[in-house]
């Protein structure tokens, strides 16, 4: 993670976060540990909890608490009640900055813990679904502090959502099932940044990709990319694999499950476990059993079996290790620099959901290229003049 590494070196020297308390609710993975160590090396006191009960890597929790003295509230596979208790704990040191992945900390502090709102400078948000929730809080004038939408940085969603999700979803599907993707029909519900990545990598493995969408522009884009586009009702009976990445609820439900082929494999890579109606799938099943780690077979009363991966939670984190560090380097470099930006501009930032400043986006890209030893061209003075003049033409 060369970009984050160079930020850590700068933070270590200049201590920009000295005296700042941060509550972070993120997937507790090795890459997150690198971010937390960067924040701590800049002088912050960090409390960390998980943003999903199935994504926690317990060895990372142990290492952060044993070697770095970080308070981590997470354990893989905890029940819902414990999961929310952990989120409560992460706020107990009265943080100045909230770092969210899905806006759970923001929701909690604006509801149950309003007593902690006063000293909050601001927050950052890692994912699309969190940004959607925060914008809806801002629209209803509920949001009480500025939040930087890290997801909206180009160095985040163009890479993490597309290439990260693309690769790690295929990784999750393969680790869980060991099934052949070549020659299969792979249905991707939602052709946003994540969906583009999943479709691209499934096609690269030899699948016939079917895309379902509700946005005509994105449906058209998927079509021109060479995929078949159709409603989920038509895709249900022909798919071998299904992956939802919409950020929406109940995209695949009773009618689709009943129409699927015997042996269909379904998974979700959207932030919350609401895209597949798992409860209804359970109600339709005569029998349910775990056939491999992370794979549950639902034997339906129509005689067919459907295999659910990762319990319907983010498959790339539930049955694999999430995005590779090379990708999280970009996302977390944005996080670290956005926290510093919040600190230094606390008085002038508006309350609301804010963009990552363009300088940070470009700095992260430059740091990454530099870390990879890749150089690019610079505009010549002549080119600069040409690009800014309206008088020069044919
Ligand atoms: N698994 C991961 O590691 C990971 C990484 C980044 C983001 N996410 C999450 O993935 C989800 C998608 O993120 P994104 O950045 O691609 O969002 P996006 O907004 O770019 O794309 C979502 C797409 O889904 C479409 N959609 C909405 N409802 C639909 C429906 N009923 N049927 C078909 N399509 C529908 C939308 O039109 C849109 O094109 C979010 O929940 C986000 O938080 C997951």
């Amino acid at each position: 993670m060369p970009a984050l590494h160079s930020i850590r070196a700068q933070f270590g020297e200049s201590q920009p976060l000295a005296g700042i308390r941060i509550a972070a609710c993120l997937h507790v993975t090795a890459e997150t540990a690198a971010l937390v160590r960067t924040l701590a090396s800049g002088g912050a006191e960090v409390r960390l909890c998980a943003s999903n009960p199935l994504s926690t890597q317990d060895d990372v929790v142990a290492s952060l608490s044993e070697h770095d003295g970080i308070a981590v509230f997470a354990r893989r596979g905890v029940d819902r009640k414990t999961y929310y208790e952990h989120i409560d704990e992460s706020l107990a040191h009265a943080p100045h900055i909230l770092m969210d992945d899905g806006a759970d900390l923001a929701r909690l502090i604006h509801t149950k813990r309003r007593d902690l709102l006063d000293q909050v400078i601001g927050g950052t948000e890692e994912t699309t679904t969190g940004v959607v929730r925060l914008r809806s809080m801002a629209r209803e004038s509920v949001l009480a502090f500025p939040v930087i939408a890290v997801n909206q940085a180009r160095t985040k969603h163009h890479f993490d959502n597309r290439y990260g999700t693309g690769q790690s979803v295929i990784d999750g599907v393969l680790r869980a099932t060991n099934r052949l993707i070549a020659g299969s029909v792979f249905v991707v519900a939602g052709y946003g940044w994540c969906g583009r990545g999943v479709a691209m990598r499934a096609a690269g493995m030899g699948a016939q990709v079917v895309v379902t969408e509700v946005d005509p522009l994105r449906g058209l884009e998927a079509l021109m990319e060479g995929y078949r586009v159709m409603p989920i009702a038509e895709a249900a009976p022909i798919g071998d694999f299904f992956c939802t990445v919409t950020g929406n609820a109940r995209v695949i439900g009773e009618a689709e499950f009943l129409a699927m082929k015997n042996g269909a494999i379904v998974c979700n890579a959207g932030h919350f476990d609401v895209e597949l109606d798992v409860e209804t799938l359970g109600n339709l099943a005569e029998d349910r059993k775990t056939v491999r780690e992370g794979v549950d077979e639902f034997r339906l009363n129509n005689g067919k079996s459907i295999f659910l991966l990762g319990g319907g939670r983010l498959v790339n984190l539930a049955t694999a290790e999430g995005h590779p560090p090379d990708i999280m380097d970009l996302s977390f470099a944005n996080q670290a620099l956005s926290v510093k930006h919040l600190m230094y501009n606390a008085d002038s930032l508006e309350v609301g959901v804010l963009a990552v400043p363009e300088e940070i986006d470009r700095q992260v890209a430059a740091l990454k290229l530099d870390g990879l030893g890749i150089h690019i061209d610079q505009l010549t003075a002549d080119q600069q003049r040409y690009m800014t003049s309206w008088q020069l033409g044919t």
Side-chain angles (χ1 to χ4, degrees):
M1 301 175 83
L4 195 61
H5 192 74
S6 74
I7 294 169
R8 192 190 303 185
Q10 290 164 22
F11 275 19
E13 272 173 33
S14 57
Q15 294 289 294
L17 310 181
I20 284 293
R21 294 187 296 274
I22 298 177
C25 180
L26 302 168
H27 298 294
V28 183
T29 62
E31 294 77 19
T32 300
L35 171 63
V36 168
R37 286 179 176 144
T38 302
L39 300 170
S41 78
E45 185 199 318
V46 187
R47 281 187 162 218
L48 175 66
C49 66
S51 58
N52 187 305
L54 274 191
S55 62
T56 300
Q57 294 168 2
D58 289 334
D59 51 350
V60 170
V61 179
S63 173
L64 275 175
S65 66
E66 236 176 272
H67 302 135
D68 303 88
I70 306 281
V72 188
F73 305 92
R75 191 158 28 87
R76 191 178 181 85
V78 291
D79 58 23
R80 222 177 179 79
K81 182 169 164 284
T82 314
Y83 174 73
Y84 281 108
E85 282 168 6
H86 285 164
I87 297 186
D88 287 344
E89 287 291 339
S90 70
L91 286 178
H93 67 336
H96 300 107
I97 291 181
L98 307 182
M99 189 174 269
D100 251 322
D101 185 341
D104 274 340
L105 289 176
R107 189 175 53 87
L108 190 67
I109 206 162
H110 284 87
T111 50
K112 261 173 65 186
R113 295 305 311 268
R114 294 191 65 82
D115 56 306
L116 297 176
L117 272 174
D118 270 357
Q119 82 290 329
V120 174
I121 297 172
T124 61
E125 173 53 57
E126 171 75 8
T127 198
T128 315
T129 284
V131 173
V132 169
R133 293 172 98 193
L134 288 158
R135 283 190 178 141
S136 121
M137 288 172 78
R139 243 189 340 269
E140 291 174 21
S141 305
V142 175
L143 190 64
F145 47 77
V147 180
I148 300 190
V150 167
N151 183 71
Q152 303 313 106
R154 283 174 298 166
T155 44
K156 200 283 184 178
H157 67 272
H158 285 203
F159 298 88
D160 172 314
N161 301 29
R162 181 167 41 178
Y163 303 112
T165 312
Q167 176 166 314
S168 58
V169 161
I170 300 295
D171 187 14
V173 170
L174 292 180
R175 288 196 206 194
T177 66
N178 191 29
R179 293 292 300 273
L180 185 70
I181 291 183
S184 69
V185 174
F186 199 114
V187 180
V188 180
Y191 196 67
W193 288 98
C194 295
R196 288 174 181 125
V198 177
M200 173 173 65
R201 294 304 180 229
M205 300 284 289
Q208 298 170 46
V209 172
V210 170
V211 168
T212 73
E213 250 299 339
V214 291
D215 177 336
L217 274 169
R218 291 198 158 164
L220 187 60
E221 193 187 338
L223 187 72
M224 299 269 167
E225 202 53 52
Y227 308 128
R228 293 164 72 193
V229 177
M230 61 184 77
I232 189 69
E234 283 174 34
I238 62 171
D240 298 298
F241 296 91
F242 294 82
C243 179
T244 50
V245 252
T246 66
N248 207 342
R250 288 174 292 287
V251 176
I252 295 186
E254 177 167 353
E256 293 77 30
F257 288 130
L258 287 173
M260 282 178 190
K261 289 196 233 180
N262 183 31
I265 292 168
V266 292
C267 64
N268 165 53
H271 186 76
F272 286 116
D273 59 343
V274 294
E275 305 210 10
L276 303 169
D277 188 349
V278 175
E279 194 183 331
T280 296
L281 180 59
N283 294 339
L284 291 173
E286 281 175 349
D287 184 35
R288 171 183 182 162
K289 63 174 187 258
T290 301
V291 289
R292 282 166 68 95
E293 197 181 338
V295 185
D296 288 327
E297 177 183 4
F298 290 76
R299 197 178 291 278
L300 306 192
N301 40 28
N302 64 9
K304 296 189 269 190
S305 280
I306 289 177
F307 296 93
L308 173 71
L309 309 187
R313 294 194 182 274
L314 297 156
V315 67
N316 53 329
L317 283 139
T319 65
E321 293 170 71
H323 300 350
D326 322 57
I327 283 289
M328 294 316 293
D329 190 22
L330 293 166
S331 310
F332 286 167
N334 270 296
Q335 283 281 8
L337 294 177
S338 294
V339 166
K340 184 176 161 195
H341 179 75
L342 276 174
M343 278 259 333
Y344 281 80
N345 298 280
D347 296 337
S348 58
L349 293 177
E350 280 171 42
V351 170
V353 182
L354 310 178
V356 172
E358 175 73 15
E359 315 84 81
I360 292 186
D361 217 348
R362 297 184 77 83
Q363 186 186 351
V364 170
L367 283 173
K368 184 70 172 176
L369 282 176
D370 196 41
L372 294 170
I374 292 180
H375 305 287
I376 59 169
D377 290 320
Q378 306 292 324
L379 288 174
T380 62
D382 181 45
Q383 286 170 339
Q384 222 149 15
R385 227 179 359 262
Y386 179 79
M387 297 296 284
T388 50
S389 164
W390 59 272
Q391 284 162 325
L392 301 170
T394 47

